[in-house]
Amino acid sequence: MVDLTFGKPYWEDGLVREFDPGRDDAEFVWHRDKEDREIEILDGEGWQFQLQDCLPWLLKKGMVFDIKKEEYHRLIRGATPLKCRVVLNGNGTRTKS
């Protein structure tokens, strides 16, 4: 079941999130999360990821990286929808199957 996560710029279907490039740039804000997470890029062109005090890097299909709990980060909008698998590590409800 696809769930529109209100207040967040993505659709969620289980472990997969899809970010729409048609959303306003203001929706892709600096934020931090309550748990560690592993991200795998499944699809999307032109999207960038940025950690606090670092330059952004281009996201490419097949990339896997971790975001630590309470680490400030943001997405920079790309040209096509971004699909990624998000696996929460720690006290989150999602786990790898």
Side-chain angles (χ1 to χ4, degrees), residues 31-84:
H31 68 283
R32 52 189 176 170
D33 300 307
K34 295 179 182 180
E35 58 278 316
D36 292 345
R37 55 193 59 215
E38 178 183 275
I39 309 296
E40 178 185 2
I41 304 303
L42 303 174
D43 202 12
E45 296 291 328
W47 290 82
Q48 296 180 63
F49 179 81
Q50 186 174 16
L51 293 171
Q52 183 177 4
D53 298 324
C54 296
L55 294 173
W57 69 81
L58 186 64
L59 297 175
K60 296 182 181 181
K61 185 176 181 176
M63 286 179 101
V64 177
F65 58 95
D66 295 319
I67 303 171
K68 295 186 187 298
K69 172 184 174 180
E70 300 297 326
E71 186 172 49
Y72 275 104
H73 60 280
R74 70 174 178 156
L75 276 174
I76 298 171
R77 187 172 50 151
T80 64
L82 174 67
K83 288 185 182 180
C84 58

Side-chain angles (χ1 to χ4, degrees), residues 2-5 8-13 15-21 23 28 42-43 47 75 80-86:
V2 176
D3 175 37
L4 174 59
T5 307
K8 299 185 179 180
Y10 56 82
W11 291 85
E12 191 163 23
D13 185 6
L15 297 177
V16 177
R17 291 184 183 174
E18 183 172 335
F19 294 84
D20 181 358
R23 303 294 291 254
F28 300 103
L42 303 174
D43 202 12
W47 290 82
L75 276 174
T80 64
L82 174 67
K83 288 185 182 180
C84 58
R85 181 174 293 116
V86 178

